[in-house]
Amino acid sequence: MALEQSLAALSLATVSSESATPTKTLVFKPKTAKTATPVPVIVFALQSTQTPSNVIAKAAGVKEPRLAKEDLIQEFFATSPKEFSIANLNKDSAAKVKFVIDESIVKAPEDTVLELSTESSKASLPAKIVVSFLESIGVDLIAVDFSADELTEVAPKKEVKKKDKDAAKIEDAKLIGINVDKAKDFSTWYSQVVTKGEMLDYYDVSGCYILRPNSYFVWETIQDWFNIRIKKMGVKNSYFPMFVSSRVLEKEKDHIEGFAPEVAWVTRAGSSELEEHIAIRPTSETVMYPYYSKWVRSHRDLPLKLNQWNSVVRWEFKHPQPFLRTREFLWQEGHTAHLTRAEATEEVDQILDLYAGIYEELLAVPVIKGKKTENEKFAGGDYTTTVEGYIAATGRGIQGATSHHLGTNFSKMFDISVENPEGADKPKVFAFQNSWGLSTRVIGVMVMTHSDNKGLVLPPRVAQNQVVVIPVGITSKTTDEERKAINDGAAIIEKRLKYADIRALGDYRDIYSPGWKFSDWELKGVPLRVEFGPKDMKQEQVTVVRRDNGEKSVVKLADLEKRIPEVLDQIQYSLLANARKEFDEHRVIVNEWKDFVPTLNAKNVILSPWCGDADCEDDIKDSSAKKDDGEDEEVDEKAPSMGAKSLCIPKEQPTLKEGQKCVKCDRAAVNYCMFGRSY
Amino acid sequence: MALEQSLAALSLATVSSESATPTKTLVFKPKTAKTATPVPVIVFALQSTQTPSNVIAKAAGVKEPRLAKEDLIQEFFATSPKEFSIANLNKDSAAKVKFVIDESIVKAPEDTVLELSTESSKASLPAKIVVSFLESIGVDLIAVDFSADELTEVAPKKEVKKKDKDAAKIEDAKLIGINVDKAKDFSTWYSQVVTKGEMLDYYDVSGCYILRPNSYFVWETIQDWFNIRIKKMGVKNSYFPMFVSSRVLEKEKDHIEGFAPEVAWVTRAGSSELEEHIAIRPTSETVMYPYYSKWVRSHRDLPLKLNQWNSVVRWEFKHPQPFLRTREFLWQEGHTAHLTRAEATEEVDQILDLYAGIYEELLAVPVIKGKKTENEKFAGGDYTTTVEGYIAATGRGIQGATSHHLGTNFSKMFDISVENPEGADKPKVFAFQNSWGLSTRVIGVMVMTHSDNKGLVLPPRVAQNQVVVIPVGITSKTTDEERKAINDGAAIIEKRLKYADIRALGDYRDIYSPGWKFSDWELKGVPLRVEFGPKDMKQEQVTVVRRDNGEKSVVKLADLEKRIPEVLDQIQYSLLANARKEFDEHRVIVNEWKDFVPTLNAKNVILSPWCGDADCEDDIKDSSAKKDDGEDEEVDEKAPSMGAKSLCIPKEQPTLKEGQKCVKCDRAAVNYCMFGRSY
């Protein structure tokens, strides 16, 4: 592979820099017993550095290293000595060599750019990137100060590694793209996308994560969208304390039972033990409903509709996962009380529609609306409605958000009641309650759905930066005047876009090549790239490249304000359409049990006629967890259960044939239920 | 006092209701030893209820009750028997009587309206209000079922109290206005205003409060206003975890020292003891800065400007106070890192201007911008700027919000550094940092500043409801047609206002009289009342009444959309102008120490020439806490210190005379400093 191609494969575009420092890459073969496999020693140094073989021998701990011949290089790196460069290294070959690096490279000033060359190609790269790349493929760097008077190894291997480890990680995250395949190692891929896409960072306290601006912006957009709509429905925002006294929390034994093992307890303040231990809310029913009881005195106080945007804490001991399972997470929780059941249940549906809207209109993630089975519903409620998503890469379903009708279960526990409007002699009326919540998990679902091996893909409506403007085509032959014209032109384009309410930003950093910038912004998920170069200038146009599909087109400067929003809309639309197609293709009707597990194993969720019986549901779960098809299932430790859970009873139902039996048992089916492995 | 006036004083307007149930109020004198003071027994019953004296005797536990004569009534209630009503009762007299109440009143259907009458006056009131009023003045109600066959006391005193206590409290909060004078008992007044104005409710966990929609809306308005402006400055919102491991928190000993006694610790999750105890952030320096260190690798990563809207916990053991001192509170904390000091300090001022804007433009609260003294600055920073407010009712200063320049103190601790842009051989550069925060305390300052004895006064810009539309002038003589025309007209006015983006609401509840509604919305602080009655309809107008000053005027229906926003602007402007006048009048220049304490005692804050010495500052505090003027100072337990603290060194300085000495010591003054008792 040529050097450029190889680097391009690493998402590293070449840097055209006159000031790049030339380097050399040499391969040595040490003296080796004839029966043993030789361990080549690669020396990577500045062109100007003298690299005596006795220093190399000492540093690498080998005897009599000599420049390797063609056959060895061909054998180890499948290339000729003239074409060999560090780009020929990969994880496999890295494990088989020793690697001596010039300390001048490791300790180079941050902005240093190196020139790597072979006989047929040449490329310039920031030194940090080169080091990061080497670290990333698992090379053990032996840094050597060739200039030292004493021919000693000045920086022992371990020390260098430690010293540069953090830096490598950071530069890695920043400069080098995703290095695993979404299809092959989904879990590592996801972790890389969310961190390198700067959505989130891992935090010192396990299970807690930092929401960086790139993801918090998504959350703010959701907040704005949802607030406008719930306020129209008469819901008001408020804030209740994060603490619940143990007395109050434990009063509602049935309710708290599910949460108890996950409740975080404050027992001490400063150096004082608290007399009564205080819980951090895992959810706010017991926080809010005593006050609902107090505030609701007359039927005129109903409906009472409050929502809050807050964080809750569930100290899960399962493996945490960014956005999806975190010990503290942000959400909104709406809690409403109504005079009539009809009014309450109408609201449950309205909210579910809003949740579907957040997924589909903002995040471009298709969802299926439905009702949870008795097994899967919120224990305290009458019924639970849900929007369910699908992660194509793993073939699993994922719960999106839930809207519960609580009936009068809680109002009876907490005495949220009013005198009967029909007369004080009639029995008092308990309020009909709903609760509904949507959390930052939505962001994880969005990332899993759209992002790819180049990094994050953000739908335009929730992207902090919708457009990045990059000046291109500036070479060593470009005159100062031309360079200025291009840069100024790009800046004007950025301004015009901003003025048209498009969230645009320009990248005018001259240390990086356009190609490097392309990769960087692709990694961060910016939906649209606008390139502006000499040819564009001449033709009064920009070249635009879509992040979602790489499609390139040209927009006349005169049409900028009209055309760019259209392209952004197209991207938003395509993302949803493609994800919907994928979901539709992997939501398979299965009427007979024999097809159930094979269909599941083919990364599908399943629609099956079902009897509605809870035991049967358990049976389906158990049976689908077994290797019924004789094949080994892929083992994924992070799956809460490898059996198929019921995801929901979809609102839109396939027509049930007369006399249709349950997919699993002999009972008559009452409806179609969606089953799947899930998060 | 006549009944109407008396009720008016209670902010209870009369209800004109044809369906009111007549009542009677009787005073009995039981048989008493001649030397003893008699205990009158008041009987309050429906007119239709028979109230035999033997039943009264039994219920009240007295002997031979007889209708009281004029002298006794005059002595106890300062009125004649013909004019006596429950409105003549107050906290003093309530303690000296027994009070028997007809159970038909206590248990009356919720909507029951009672007619109270004396020879010269008549008033109708919901039964609930009457009961609440009695409870509120401390009457022990003895409820008696006069209709029972057996002449027994059916509801023992205690039981009734318990049963109706909650109800009374609620109705009290809702229906009865503020019953203490802002000028006389500020603390109780404040507590009543925030609860009865439905800004906040007290919570089960001490020091924590519920922010109800009326106050949370203020916070949301502040968020929107501030977000727009900081985003323009390049600040991005994010969210960091609420937890800090003890290891990290305690690493920064100097920083944490101030917070340590107030840190809440999570030691247990579910039933598991945590291996490492985890703190809830009291502020986020130690949460965020390790990651700043990680993210900032090159000077191109600067400035890094993040903000978060979150809650923090400081488990203070001092007396909590709604909004001002709470154990959990909402705030924003901005943390920024810059390459140069100049850039950082410029931002400190920009943010302080925004804080002043929140106070003055949104909350109509005037503030003084300045710098904290060394004693009062944030210990970890280089200097602290502040906006300082003034609470006229108590004559105290109050810190509004602070914007700190941290210098390189934290960047050195946490290694937030970059290579020197001037060359790698030059020493590395530590970032110059700022932090700035504003909390829900602002809401408390706003309430204290504008509200009055009628309740809350909300500036229009932050009022959830800016206008309340109330149909008026509907009497028993009103035809159905007229009534409909008035109600429909009011509803159209409400709709027109809403359509013009005014936050309007209509109150069409027919159970309450207009006067009652007036009081209710005044209590809740709605800035403008729009009345629409028969006369208005005829003259194609509405009558508008300002909450802030009671001013009444007329607006032609045709001018509604133009004129109402103007009136709202006038209210906003007046509130600020009045508060500013008050602050200006009570910010007094004092050059000589002899005038210092008397001026302070006259509820002023003081501008004095000052030497700038920390010990002198302490001396001023100590000396002003003593009773130097020979008068007893008002003791207020809730004052953190009765000595005068330095509030700030104002940015706008009076001119310092040449050779001007410090107000307290013999040193030369370096500037004017603002001193005051404070919150």
Side-chain angles (χ1 to χ4, degrees), chain A residues 373-386:
Chain A
T373 62
E374 284 298 303
N375 272 2
E376 297 290 335
K377 76 170 189 186
F378 175 48
D382 266 16
Y383 65 85
T384 291
T385 65
T386 179

Side-chain angles (χ1 to χ4, degrees), chain B residues 6-13 91 129 132-133 136-137 168-181 188-189 191-197 452-456 515-516 518-524 547:
Chain B
S6 180
L7 291 169
L10 294 165
S11 299
L12 297 173
K91 281 195 178 179
I129 298 189
S132 298
F133 162 66
S136 75
I137 59 171
K169 253 191 197 157
I170 303 303
E171 295 297 338
D172 190 340
K174 262 193 151 169
L175 304 180
I176 298 198
I178 308 301
N179 60 27
V180 294
D181 190 333
T188 309
W189 170 86
S191 165
Q192 287 194 359
V193 166
V194 292
T195 52
K196 296 185 180 188
D452 60 24
N453 287 345
K454 284 180 172 178
L456 208 58
W516 188 91
F518 296 173
S519 303
D520 190 41
W521 293 109
E522 281 169 359
L523 185 60
K524 289 176 188 158
R547 171 65 183 89

Side-chain angles (χ1 to χ4, degrees), chain B residues 118-270:
Chain B
T118 68
E119 187 168 80
S120 71
S121 63
K122 189 179 276 193
S124 302
L125 282 176
K128 292 261 171 191
I129 298 189
V130 174
V131 173
S132 298
F133 162 66
L134 292 169
E135 295 261 7
S136 75
I137 59 171
V139 170
D140 270 1
L141 298 177
I142 303 166
V144 172
D145 182 1
F146 287 98
S147 69
D149 280 345
E150 291 285 313
L151 299 179
T152 51
E153 187 186 346
V154 292
K157 193 167 122 180
K158 276 290 174 199
E159 236 178 271
V160 170
K161 277 214 65 173
K162 194 169 177 303
K163 176 178 165 295
D164 275 10
K165 206 180 164 196
D166 267 4
K169 253 191 197 157
I170 303 303
E171 295 297 338
D172 190 340
K174 262 193 151 169
L175 304 180
I176 298 198
I178 308 301
N179 60 27
V180 294
D181 190 333
K182 182 178 185 181
K184 288 179 187 156
D185 181 356
F186 184 73
S187 169
T188 309
W189 170 86
Y190 178 64
S191 165
Q192 287 194 359
V193 166
V194 292
T195 52
K196 296 185 180 188
E198 297 186 355
M199 294 293 269
L200 160 152
D201 211 331
Y202 284 76
Y203 185 66
D204 174 55
V205 176
S206 169
C208 296
Y209 302 90
I210 298 163
L211 299 187
R212 302 184 69 180
N214 226 8
S215 64
Y216 197 79
F217 186 88
V218 177
W219 191 237
E220 285 185 302
T221 307
I222 290 171
Q223 289 185 315
D224 289 345
W225 192 94
F226 193 64
N227 271 335
I228 287 172
R229 285 159 180 81
I230 60 172
K231 285 182 182 182
K232 271 192 193 148
M233 291 168 61
V235 178
K236 290 173 178 179
N237 285 333
S238 55
Y239 187 79
F240 286 75
M242 69 153 86
F243 295 119
V244 207
S245 68
S246 56
R247 192 168 26 83
V248 170
L249 187 71
E250 284 162 2
K251 201 169 108 186
E252 272 325 312
K253 294 242 185 287
D254 289 344
H255 168 61
I256 201 55
E257 202 173 326
F259 295 109
E262 299 172 0
V263 170
W265 290 96
V266 174
T267 65
R268 190 157 59 86

Side-chain angles (χ1 to χ4, degrees), chain B residues 19-185:
Chain B
S19 61
T21 312
T23 62
K24 56 185 172 190
T25 315
L26 308 168
V27 184
F28 291 85
K29 178 180 173 295
K31 192 175 179 183
T32 316
K34 283 219 167 128
T35 52
T37 312
V39 175
V41 176
I42 299 172
V43 175
F44 180 59
L46 296 183
Q47 189 77 59
S48 57
T49 301
Q50 297 282 342
T51 55
S53 63
N54 57 343
V55 179
I56 294 167
K58 188 164 185 194
V62 297
K63 285 182 187 165
E64 298 173 33
R66 299 283 175 261
L67 276 176
K69 292 194 180 137
E70 178 135 9
D71 56 351
L72 182 125
I73 291 177
Q74 199 60 255
E75 184 192 335
F76 274 84
F77 308 109
T79 190
S80 68
K82 287 177 182 174
E83 290 306 315
F84 177 78
S85 78
I86 57 164
N88 296 90
L89 284 172
N90 55 35
K91 281 195 178 179
D92 287 343
S93 54
K96 296 174 188 158
V97 303
K98 297 199 170 189
F99 197 104
V100 172
I101 188 166
D102 188 346
E103 206 192 29
S104 308
I105 291 173
V106 174
K107 293 194 167 171
E110 181 156 13
D111 300 348
T112 303
V113 174
L114 302 178
E115 184 186 78
L116 281 67
S117 54
T118 68
E119 187 168 80
S120 71
S121 63
K122 189 179 276 193
S124 302
L125 282 176
K128 292 261 171 191
I129 298 189
V130 174
V131 173
S132 298
F133 162 66
L134 292 169
E135 295 261 7
S136 75
I137 59 171
V139 170
D140 270 1
L141 298 177
I142 303 166
V144 172
D145 182 1
F146 287 98
S147 69
D149 280 345
E150 291 285 313
L151 299 179
T152 51
E153 187 186 346
V154 292
K157 193 167 122 180
K158 276 290 174 199
E159 236 178 271
V160 170
K161 277 214 65 173
K162 194 169 177 303
K163 176 178 165 295
D164 275 10
K165 206 180 164 196
D166 267 4
K169 253 191 197 157
I170 303 303
E171 295 297 338
D172 190 340
K174 262 193 151 169
L175 304 180
I176 298 198
I178 308 301
N179 60 27
V180 294
D181 190 333
K182 182 178 185 181
K184 288 179 187 156
D185 181 356

Side-chain angles (χ1 to χ4, degrees), chain A residues 107-111 128 166-167 169-171 174 201-205 208-214 216-217 220 224 227 231 236-245 247-248 260-272 274 276-278 280-281 286-288 291 294-301 304-306 309 311-313 315 317 327-328 330 418-419 424 464-465 505 509 511-512, chain B residues 107-111 128 166-171 174 201-205 208-214 216-217 220 224 227 231 236-245 247-248 260-272 274 276-278 280-281 286-288 291 294-295 297-301 304-306 309 311-313 315 317 327-328 330 418-419 424 464-465 505 509 511-512:
Chain A
K107 291 194 169 172
E110 181 158 11
D111 300 348
K128 292 262 171 195
D166 267 6
K169 251 192 201 159
I170 302 303
E171 295 296 339
K174 261 191 153 170
D201 212 332
Y202 283 75
Y203 185 68
D204 175 55
V205 175
C208 295
Y209 302 89
I210 297 163
L211 299 188
R212 301 184 69 180
N214 226 9
Y216 197 77
F217 185 89
E220 285 182 303
D224 290 345
N227 271 335
K231 285 181 181 182
K236 291 174 178 178
N237 284 333
S238 55
Y239 187 78
F240 286 74
M242 70 155 86
F243 295 119
V244 206
S245 67
R247 191 169 24 84
V248 170
E262 299 172 0
V263 169
W265 290 96
V266 175
T267 64
R268 190 157 61 85
S271 52
S272 320
L274 297 183
E276 189 187 25
H277 291 182
I278 291 172
I280 303 176
R281 60 181 164 215
T286 54
V287 171
M288 295 166 89
Y291 297 89
K294 182 179 167 192
W295 296 332
V296 174
R297 311 304 304 181
S298 140
H299 64 89
R300 277 178 299 274
D301 298 324
L304 175 59
K305 304 183 186 182
L306 300 182
W309 296 92
S311 82
V312 289
V313 171
W315 207 266
F317 291 94
R327 283 177 171 173
E328 180 193 5
L330 302 182
V418 298
E419 254 176 28
Q464 177 171 234
N465 301 306
L505 105 169
R509 296 175 289 181
I511 181 90
Y512 300 120
Chain B
K107 293 194 167 171
E110 181 156 13
D111 300 348
K128 292 261 171 191
D166 267 4
K169 253 191 197 157
I170 303 303
E171 295 297 338
K174 262 193 151 169
D201 211 331
Y202 284 76
Y203 185 66
D204 174 55
V205 176
C208 296
Y209 302 90
I210 298 163
L211 299 187
R212 302 184 69 180
N214 226 8
Y216 197 79
F217 186 88
E220 285 185 302
D224 289 345
N227 271 335
K231 285 182 182 182
K236 290 173 178 179
N237 285 333
S238 55
Y239 187 79
F240 286 75
M242 69 153 86
F243 295 119
V244 207
S245 68
R247 192 168 26 83
V248 170
E262 299 172 0
V263 170
W265 290 96
V266 174
T267 65
R268 190 157 59 86
S271 52
S272 319
L274 296 183
E276 189 187 23
H277 291 182
I278 291 172
I280 303 177
R281 62 184 161 211
T286 54
V287 171
M288 295 166 88
Y291 297 88
K294 181 181 167 192
W295 296 331
R297 312 303 306 179
S298 142
H299 64 89
R300 279 179 298 273
D301 298 324
L304 175 60
K305 304 182 185 182
L306 299 183
W309 297 93
S311 82
V312 289
V313 171
W315 207 266
F317 291 94
R327 284 178 170 172
E328 180 193 6
L330 301 183
V418 297
E419 254 176 31
Q464 177 170 234
N465 300 307
L505 103 169
R509 297 176 287 181
I511 182 88
Y512 301 120

